Amino acid sequence: MFNWYVGLLAISGIVMLALAALKQGQSTVSRSINGIFGAVYLGYAIYLAFFFDGGSYLIFFQAFLLPVLMVVNFFRNRTPRTKLTDTQKAWREFQRTDQAR
């Protein structure tokens, strides 16, 4: 169980660092969060794998929600938003003013 946890931490950290390196479709805040948490996850995995001498440790599987959410956020933001044509803009404006009456 310990080896699985360390492996998942390392994979999560590497994925988040890779997402932070990509500039496409992400805000600066999102890239910063990916970079910071990716470094923390990878650093903690390295600590547990190479420097941890044993004893008690806590396993937080909830920690793996953040990488999943960041990957989902990355791909959701990469989807191009459709731009409205002039006719569609005029129709929406007409609907708004018609409903206001």
Side-chain angles (χ1 to χ4, degrees), residues 1-100:
M1 184 67 149
F2 177 76
N3 292 332
W4 278 97
Y5 183 63
V6 172
L8 286 173
L9 279 173
I11 291 170
S12 297
I14 291 169
V15 167
M16 291 178 76
L17 286 173
L19 290 177
L22 297 175
K23 295 181 182 180
Q24 301 168 337
Q26 294 187 87
S27 66
T28 306
V29 174
S30 180
R31 289 182 64 215
S32 299
I33 291 172
N34 273 326
I36 291 168
F37 281 103
V40 168
Y41 279 41
L42 188 59
Y44 188 53
I46 290 171
Y47 165 75
L48 287 176
F50 299 110
F51 302 111
F52 184 67
D53 291 333
S56 63
Y57 60 93
L58 296 174
I59 295 178
F60 293 105
F61 284 108
Q62 296 89 348
F64 299 112
L65 289 176
L66 181 65
V68 170
L69 291 175
M70 296 306 283
V71 168
V72 168
N73 185 41
F74 174 76
F75 284 107
R76 187 175 41 145
N77 287 339
R78 287 183 49 124
T79 306
R81 304 273 166 102
T82 57
K83 295 185 179 181
L84 298 177
T85 63
D86 291 333
T87 307
Q88 290 170 328
K89 290 178 189 176
W91 176 250
R92 287 193 180 182
E93 186 61 34
F94 172 75
Q95 287 178 326
R96 286 189 198 123
T97 56
D98 192 40
Q99 290 175 359

